[in-house]
Amino acid sequence: MNNDLKSIAKDIRCDVLQCIGHLGVGHIGGCLSVVELLTVLYFEVMHIDPKNPKMAGRDRFVCSKGHAGPAVYATLANRGYFDKKELLTLNQGGTNLPSHCDMNRTVGIDMTTGSLGQGFSCAIGAALGAKLEGDGARIYTLIGDGESQEGQIWEAAMFAAAKKLDNLIAFTDYNKLQIDGTVEEVNGIAPLADKWRAFGWNVLEVPDGNDIEQVRSAVWRARNDLTRDGKPAMVILHTKKGCGVKWIEDLGAGNHNTNLTAEQAEVAIRELRGEA
Amino acid sequence: MEMRAIYAECLDRLMEQDKHVVLLDADLAKASGTIKLREKYYGTQIFDCGVAEQNMASIAAGLSSYGFKPWIESFTPFATRRICDQIAISIAYAKQNVKIVGTDPGISAELNGGTHMSMEDIGVLRSIPGIVIFEPVDGVQLRAAMPVLNAYDGCVYIRLFRKQLPDVFGEGYAFDLFKADQLRDGRDLSIFVSGMLTKDVLDAAEALEAEGISCDVWNIHTIKPVDRESVIASARKTGAVLTVENHNVIGGLRSAVLETLAEDRIPVKGVGITDRFGEVGKLPYLKEATGLTKENIIKTAKEAILLK
C-alpha cells in the first residue's frame, strides 16, 4: 500500500504541474506541499464514495487554504470523482475548477474556501453538525501557516475545543513561507504547537510532511488516538513549499503564485517520473 | 409585547418542529430575547460562540453545509459590517442557508451610542448578491414572517427593532415576503417606509390629509429584492416620492427606490440618517438629532410634492 500511495502522490503531483503549466500560472508552492496529505486522506483514510459524492455520513475535507484547490482537484480526479481531462480546464473562464475551492462548482468539494480563516470555521461547523446528527462522520481540514495569522483561526480554535469536537482533525501546512517572505519574518506564528496545545487541542508534529509514511502514520494516529475525550487534533506538517521540483522549491516565497510554462511542467514531470 | 419576545417565541416553535433549526449567539442572547430558550435547547439546538462573530458566521455556514438551518444573532453592526466578508463568502457566495438577525438597528441602539449604531448595514448587505433583506414593522408582521423566513432556502438578513413597536397590522394580515404592503391609499405623494418609523409616517400622513395632501403609504418590509411593481405603480400614480428610513440615506431604502425609479424621472426625497454617525441618547433625542420625526416627514413630504 505504501508504494501505491507513493505512486499515487506522484501522479497527483504530476497532474498539479500539468494543469498549472497548461494555464501558465498558479499557486504551485502551496499545492505541491500538501500532496502527500491529500493522498493519504483520499486514498486511505476518509470514508467517502466518489460515485456518491454527497453520501450521508461521509467524512469531509475542507481545504481552508483554498488556493490549494488545484491539488485537491488533482486528488479528486485521480480518486475518480471526475475525468482527469477536466483538470486542464483549471481556472479557464466557465470552468468547474476555479483557483479556489467552490462547493457549488466542483464535484467532491465539501466547502467553498478562499477567504483565509473562514474554511476552518466552516469545517468546525460541519464537525458540530456531524456531532448533532450522530452519524460518526469525521471532519478533516487543512489550514496554511500564513493563514494562521488570521484572527478567525483562533476564534475557531477556541470554539472547537470548548464544544469538545473530537471528530475534527486539522492539519497545518507548515512550509514556513508566505507571499511576502518567511512566516517568521512577516508575522511569526512560532511556537505553533504550543499555541494549539494552549487552545486545548491534541497536537502532533510531523517532521517531514512530504514523507508519505510519516504522514500516513500521523493521520491514523490523529484519527484513532488523538481525537477523543472531547479534544480535537491538530497535526502540524513540516512541509516544503513547492515540494518535488527543485527549481520551484528554490524560488522560496516566490513560488506561492508563479508562472509555469507547459514546457517547464513537462520537464518537471519527466524528472519526477525518472524519465529524464 | 416586545419584538424580541415575539421573535424568541416564534423561534421556539420552529426549533420544536425541526431539530435542524439551530441558533448561534455571540454573547448577546439576553439582549436578543432568546436566553430563555436555553433551558430547552442549549447544547442541542442553541450554541453560544462567545464574542467571536466572524467565527459564528462561518460556523453557521458549516452547519448549513451539513443540512442544518442556522440562525445567528447579534447587534446589527456586529451582525453585518463586522462580519461582512464572512457573510459574503462563507454564506452568500457559498450559497448557504443562514438567517442573520441584527438587533437594535440605526438609532435604536440608544445608550450604546455610535459604536453600536449601524447606519450602513442595509447598504453593505444590499450590494452582496443573493441576500434577502427584511425589516419587520410590527409584531403581527414578524409573527407571520418567521416561518416564511425559516422556510426560505437562502440567506436572509433580519433587521430587528427589539423593543415594543405599535401594531400597524391587525388580524387577518396576509404576509408575502416579496410584496410590499399598502397602508394608505392616496393621490398626491407616495411614501415608502421601513421599520420603526412606519407609525410616524402614518401620523404624518394623517396630518397631511388634514391639509388636503393625500398620501399613498407603503411599508417596504423587504428592501431587497424590493417590490418593484408596487413602487413603480404607486410612484407613477402620485408623481412624487418620499422614502423614510432609520438608516443612512445612502445605500438603504432610498437608494433601492431611486434605483427602481431611475428611468421614470419622478422626484424622490428621503428622510433618513444624512450620512453621519450615531451618538448616545434616548430615542426621542436621537430622532430629533437625526431628523427622523413626524415634523420632518411632513416638511419633506411637502418639498417632494413641490418638485413635481
Side-chain angles (χ1 to χ4, degrees):
Chain A
M1 187 66 193
N2 284 354
N3 282 338
D4 287 354
L5 286 180
K6 243 185 199 165
S7 95
I8 292 164
K10 191 181 283 180
D11 290 345
I12 292 171
R13 185 164 269 117
C14 290
D15 287 339
V16 168
L17 287 162
Q18 196 192 4
C19 66
I20 292 180
H22 183 74
L23 183 72
V25 65
H27 294 101
I28 302 173
C31 281
L32 295 180
S33 59
V34 298
V35 168
E36 281 69 26
L37 172 70
L38 295 172
T39 305
V40 168
L41 287 177
Y42 277 93
F43 285 84
E44 186 167 292
V45 180
M46 281 168 64
H47 171 58
I48 45 173
D49 180 2
K51 299 215 162 40
N52 186 9
K54 302 245 179 218
M55 178 175 72
R58 71 186 184 280
D59 288 346
R60 301 194 183 206
F61 175 72
V62 178
C63 188
S64 190
K65 46 168 286 185
H67 52 283
V72 185
Y73 308 149
T75 308
L76 292 172
N78 276 279
R79 188 70 171 84
Y81 280 84
F82 49 82
D83 197 315
K84 278 177 76 166
K85 272 185 279 183
E86 201 175 334
L87 291 175
L88 294 183
T89 70
L90 175 72
N91 243 352
Q92 312 276 2
T95 185
N96 288 321
L97 307 178
S99 56
H100 296 73
C101 298
D102 186 335
M103 65 191 289
N104 295 305
R105 282 187 179 271
T106 314
V107 177
I109 292 290
D110 288 318
M111 180 48 71
T112 297
T113 54
S115 186
L116 294 177
Q118 295 187 27
F120 188 53
S121 295
C122 294
I124 293 169
L128 177 59
K131 281 272 177 191
L132 296 176
E133 290 289 9
D135 59 11
R138 287 180 173 84
I139 312 300
Y140 297 88
T141 183
L142 169 66
I143 62 175
D145 46 9
E147 183 179 12
S148 305
Q149 291 158 347
E150 290 281 6
Q152 186 171 355
I153 292 289
W154 303 99
E155 289 186 4
M158 207 183 292
F159 180 92
K163 305 302 178 197
K164 301 192 184 330
L165 299 176
D166 55 11
N167 56 345
L168 176 70
I169 299 141
F171 302 89
T172 300
D173 177 21
Y174 202 8
N175 58 45
K176 328 274 188 311
L177 294 170
Q178 60 187 114
I179 298 175
D180 281 353
T182 70
V183 173
E184 286 314 300
E185 277 165 6
V186 173
N187 190 16
I189 61 171
L192 191 58
D194 290 346
K195 284 191 172 71
W196 286 99
R197 275 190 208 102
F199 274 78
W201 289 54
N202 283 324
V203 180
L204 183 60
E205 292 207 61
V206 179
D208 185 352
N210 297 115
D211 180 296
I212 204 100
E213 185 50 46
Q214 287 187 31
V215 174
R216 184 172 179 247
S217 73
V219 175
W220 280 115
R221 195 169 154 225
R223 179 191 183 277
N224 295 335
D225 303 328
L226 298 181
T227 38
R228 54 169 62 162
D229 305 326
K231 281 193 173 191
M234 168 53 77
V235 181
I236 297 172
L237 301 163
H238 292 267
T239 56
K240 195 171 272 179
K241 203 161 179 174
C243 180
V245 185
K246 181 73 170 57
W247 69 267
I248 297 177
E249 288 174 21
D250 290 344
L251 290 175
N255 74 23
H256 179 84
N257 188 6
T258 190
N259 296 326
L260 179 74
T261 65
E263 293 72 31
Q264 284 173 318
E266 213 175 294
V267 172
I269 290 166
R270 255 188 278 136
E271 278 172 13
L272 276 168
R273 297 217 178 276
E275 296 159 8
Chain B
M1 203 166 165
E2 289 192 332
M3 293 292 274
R4 60 180 157 187
I6 295 167
Y7 158 68
E9 183 189 294
C10 294
L11 260 188
D12 184 14
R13 208 165 307 136
L14 294 168
M15 286 197 282
E16 210 168 64
Q17 287 163 0
D18 183 354
K19 296 286 171 218
H20 286 94
V21 177
V22 293
L23 173 67
L24 302 178
D25 215 291
D27 199 33
L28 280 174
K30 283 180 194 157
S32 306
T34 55
I35 194 88
K36 287 190 211 83
L37 302 180
R38 292 197 172 183
E39 273 174 44
K40 233 165 127 180
Y41 301 109
Y42 199 73
T44 54
Q45 284 169 269
I46 294 183
F47 303 89
D48 204 322
C49 299
V51 190
E53 296 84 4
Q54 303 174 74
N55 183 51
M56 172 170 73
S58 299
I59 291 280
L63 279 162
S64 160
S65 82
Y66 221 87
F68 288 83
K69 297 167 188 165
W71 290 64
I72 64 174
E73 56 183 28
S74 184
F75 284 146
T76 300
F78 315 131
T80 61
R81 67 171 183 239
R82 185 177 184 108
I83 58 170
C84 183
D85 191 48
Q86 283 76 13
I87 294 174
I89 300 304
S90 291
I91 298 173
Y93 181 73
K95 298 195 169 91
Q96 296 306 322
N97 180 15
V98 178
K99 307 297 174 295
I100 303 161
V101 178
T103 63
D104 277 8
I107 59 170
S108 75
E110 294 193 298
L111 300 187
N112 275 328
T115 56
H116 287 51
M117 284 182 187
S118 54
M119 310 307 195
E120 69 297 298
D121 52 321
I122 294 175
V124 167
L125 296 194
R126 209 165 64 84
S127 54
I128 298 170
I131 302 177
V132 172
I133 299 173
F134 170 73
E135 182 170 31
V137 70
D138 69 0
V140 176
Q141 189 180 68
L142 178 61
R143 231 182 264 279
M146 283 294 286
V148 177
L149 300 171
N150 186 63
Y152 177 81
D153 186 12
C155 178
V156 183
Y157 171 53
I158 297 121
R159 193 176 200 251
L160 184 66
F161 183 91
R162 67 188 166 108
K163 298 187 181 153
Q164 195 148 0
L165 279 176
D167 276 349
V168 168
F169 295 107
E171 267 181 53
Y173 169 62
F175 175 73
D176 183 332
L177 180 55
F178 299 111
K179 286 308 274 180
D181 292 307
Q182 190 182 29
L183 302 178
R184 203 182 163 99
D185 194 28
R187 301 173 314 272
D188 303 323
L189 174 71
S190 302
I191 307 183
F192 301 117
V193 57
S194 62
M196 70 172 206
L197 297 171
T198 304
K199 185 66 171 49
D200 299 281
V201 164
L202 288 171
D203 291 347
E206 197 69 48
L208 285 163
E209 187 76 49
E211 295 184 45
I213 298 168
S214 141
C215 297
D216 203 51
V217 180
W218 290 77
N219 170 241
I220 310 288
H221 53 68
T222 298
I223 296 134
K224 188 182 180 183
V226 76
D227 177 3
R228 290 177 56 86
E229 211 174 283
S230 299
V231 167
I232 291 170
S234 172
R236 283 184 186 164
K237 178 175 76 172
T238 63
V241 170
L242 173 67
T243 59
V244 180
E245 61 193 315
N246 168 28
H247 184 279
N248 196 340
V249 287
I250 298 170
L253 177 63
R254 174 171 168 265
S255 296
V257 168
L258 278 168
E259 288 156 21
T260 304
L261 297 174
E263 289 164 20
D264 274 79
R265 298 186 192 178
I266 295 169
V268 179
K269 292 286 282 183
V271 169
I273 310 292
T274 49
D275 203 23
R276 54 158 287 187
F277 286 110
E279 58 181 303
V280 290
K282 299 292 277 182
L283 215 41
Y285 166 80
L286 291 167
K287 280 178 143 183
E288 285 293 337
T290 55
L292 301 186
T293 59
K294 177 183 150 190
E295 291 69 33
N296 194 36
I297 293 166
I298 292 170
K299 180 171 154 274
T300 318
K302 289 176 181 168
E303 288 168 8
I305 290 168
L306 286 179
L307 290 174
K308 279 210 234 185

